[in-house]
Amino acid sequence: MEPLNVLMVGTGEYTTGFVGSGASESDKKVGVVGLSMFDLRRRGKVGKLGMVGVNGKKFPAIREHLHKNITLAYNNLDTSFDAFPAEDTVDPNAYKSAIDALNPGDAITIFTPDTTHYPIALYAIGRGVHVMITKPAVKLLEHHLSLLDAAEKRGNVYVYIEHHKRYDPAYADARFKAKKLGDFNYFYSYMSQPKFQLETFKAWAGIDSDISYYLNSHHVDICDSMVSQLGFVPTRVSASASKGIATNLGCNESTEDTITLLVDWEKTGDPTKRATGVYTASWTAPQKAGVHSNQYFHYLAADGEIRINQAKRGYDVADDSAGQLMWYNPFYMRYAPDEDGNFNGQSGYGYVSMEKFVDGCRSINAGELTPKDLDAKGLPTLRNTIATTAILEAGRRSIDEKRPVGIEQADGMWKLV
């Protein structure tokens, strides 16, 4: 199969690890998308690489950051890419000229503020370009369905949502085991990030998106992937939000600290079978909790239960420079090189998610698979993630309108009521 040409849309933390002042202080110090794509190019799966942002003046510092932290760290790994816009230009619509330079069958990755996902994805789909979108796919159910319609009308376009937690070994195993535990009954999840992340997100936090879209999207999708295979669908969402911490840190006055979604689920064809999902996310966790992200869930079914704590994985490091005990997660992105000095994190679930997208695009381009074939595999495609978008938007509307929001679907059509 031919290598896949990829344009990376967005130049921030998740793509490059660069946050303006240098390397991020999070667990993505050298990024995920860029590093994965550079390594996939080394392995022959990816061909030409491009990167597009709004401010081309950032590119010299980004190139220096990538050279120092990736090229020199991993056996002279090639970190070259074509940049859009030019390095003396600021252009909010640079993504259009960058996508126009692609051919049908090429691909883009979208790691930008949530409100920009829809127009960028729609522009690419219209040109026959495959699309990976970070979660949440979009903020509105209407936009999700619109993208799905556009992709199907264009034909042979793969739209994939980057729900990397599906490839976490424990979560993936739990999804498999849930099939044998009977009807879904109860799910509770919690996911957090420390307050310093709000310095990175301050430009959009509470303005373009919220903590539920950002973090609850992980576990809402995980739960949906576990229970949709059992015939359960969401029917109603009630949400609650706390405030006061993020605003004191200088965030927009509308920024909430912690959001909880209470979701009613019902088994298709048997309304006597109901279940409850509770999903909580916060970005005001303590600065020195020892983990970048607390993340765990409890799943209860008719014939058993599953508990997973992915914050503390039996791996802790005491480092005087950190001033505390730290619990690390090398299962997400393993940055230690192999014995030859090459990047060795191909089994990390952050990388696996990238490679799944690249493999799917190449299979379609080679005529081996269709987008419907990839839907049937249960991958986090646009079609397979409708419920997640419905729940997240319903949660936002529930907070704003101070009422429960219903979710209805019939004949493949979804709507909020």
Side-chain angles (χ1 to χ4, degrees), residues 102-107 127-130 154 365:
L102 301 175
N103 294 313
D106 291 346
R127 283 147 186 80
V129 172
H130 304 300
R154 175 71 196 202
N365 291 347

Side-chain angles (χ1 to χ4, degrees), residues 13-31:
E13 179 182 51
Y14 207 87
T15 297
T16 65
F18 187 81
V19 294
S21 58
S24 166
E25 294 184 11
S26 76
D27 57 348
K28 298 176 277 289
K29 291 180 174 57
V30 294

Side-chain angles (χ1 to χ4, degrees), residues 26-83:
S26 76
D27 57 348
K28 298 176 277 289
K29 291 180 174 57
V30 294
V32 176
V33 184
L35 176 55
S36 298
M37 293 301 168
F38 296 140
D39 188 67
L40 285 164
R41 180 169 60 184
R42 177 184 70 86
R43 294 172 55 203
K45 291 193 172 189
V46 165
K48 295 180 181 179
L49 282 172
M51 192 181 299
V52 58
V54 171
N55 188 354
K57 298 174 183 178
K58 291 183 179 180
F59 281 121
I62 289 172
R63 291 186 192 278
E64 180 182 355
H65 162 76
L66 295 175
H67 178 76
K68 175 184 176 182
N69 294 291
I70 294 180
T71 301
L72 297 182
Y74 299 115
N75 213 13
N76 293 315
L77 180 62
D78 180 11
T79 56
S80 63
F81 59 89
D82 296 326

Side-chain angles (χ1 to χ4, degrees), residues 302-350:
D303 302 316
E305 63 182 348
I306 299 170
R307 297 176 188 269
I308 295 182
N309 186 330
Q310 291 299 72
K312 298 177 181 179
R313 308 188 181 207
Y315 173 42
D316 57 76
V317 176
D319 184 340
D320 286 343
S321 65
Q324 66 179 110
L325 193 65
M326 297 291 296
W327 285 268
Y328 290 105
N329 179 11
F331 307 104
Y332 167 52
M333 283 295 285
R334 188 169 72 248
Y335 292 113
D338 67 14
E339 62 275 9
D340 295 317
N342 295 316
F343 176 68
N344 192 36
Q346 292 82 7
S347 63
Y349 59 84

Side-chain angles (χ1 to χ4, degrees), residues 112-119 139 207-209:
T112 58
D114 295 352
T115 52
T116 67
H117 295 178
Y118 176 68
K139 293 183 67 180
I207 304 169
D208 289 331
S209 195

Side-chain angles (χ1 to χ4, degrees), residues 132-360:
M132 170 195 278
I133 313 175
T134 184
K135 76 281 169 275
V138 286
K139 293 183 67 180
L140 304 178
L141 176 61
E142 175 188 0
H143 286 170
H144 196 120
L145 299 176
S146 173
L147 290 179
L148 189 59
D149 182 62
E152 292 185 345
K153 286 180 178 177
R154 175 71 196 202
N156 243 30
V157 173
Y158 184 31
V159 186
Y160 172 99
I161 314 306
E162 204 279 304
H163 282 292
H164 51 256
K165 288 302 292 183
R166 289 200 185 199
Y167 306 107
D168 182 311
Y171 281 47
D173 193 65
R175 180 175 183 268
F176 174 75
K177 286 186 168 54
K179 293 180 182 180
K180 303 178 181 179
L181 294 180
D183 286 326
F184 169 40
N185 191 262
Y186 172 78
F187 186 99
Y188 168 73
S189 65
Y190 176 75
M191 194 167 190
S192 70
Q193 287 193 350
K195 288 188 285 284
F196 74 75
Q197 279 290 102
L198 285 170
E199 290 298 322
T200 301
F201 304 147
K202 192 175 290 185
W204 58 264
I207 304 169
D208 289 331
S209 195
D210 61 37
I211 185 56
S212 184
Y213 278 114
Y214 179 58
L215 285 187
N216 267 333
S217 51
H218 293 78
H219 281 113
V220 169
D221 175 72
I222 287 298
C223 180
D224 177 55
S225 73
M226 293 173 70
V227 307
S228 60
Q229 63 188 352
L230 304 175
F232 282 83
V233 295
T235 58
R236 190 177 71 160
V237 180
S238 299
S240 179
S242 58
K243 291 178 67 175
I245 299 174
T247 51
N248 287 342
L249 295 173
C251 290
N252 184 276
E253 62 181 14
S254 63
T255 309
E256 293 118 347
D257 303 327
T258 304
I259 292 178
T260 296
L261 308 179
L262 176 64
V263 181
D264 294 340
W265 295 79
E266 190 173 289
K267 190 168 187 178
T268 303
D270 187 354
T272 65
K273 300 291 179 65
R274 300 175 61 86
T276 301
V278 184
Y279 316 89
T280 297
S282 176
W283 47 19
T284 54
Q287 305 279 33
K288 294 185 178 293
V291 294
H292 181 70
S293 176
N294 263 301
Q295 44 189 278
Y296 47 82
F297 75 77
H298 173 211
Y299 174 82
L300 178 65
D303 302 316
E305 63 182 348
I306 299 170
R307 297 176 188 269
I308 295 182
N309 186 330
Q310 291 299 72
K312 298 177 181 179
R313 308 188 181 207
Y315 173 42
D316 57 76
V317 176
D319 184 340
D320 286 343
S321 65
Q324 66 179 110
L325 193 65
M326 297 291 296
W327 285 268
Y328 290 105
N329 179 11
F331 307 104
Y332 167 52
M333 283 295 285
R334 188 169 72 248
Y335 292 113
D338 67 14
E339 62 275 9
D340 295 317
N342 295 316
F343 176 68
N344 192 36
Q346 292 82 7
S347 63
Y349 59 84
Y351 186 105
V352 168
S353 182
M354 300 289 153
E355 189 169 10
K356 291 283 187 184
F357 172 66
V358 169
D359 288 346

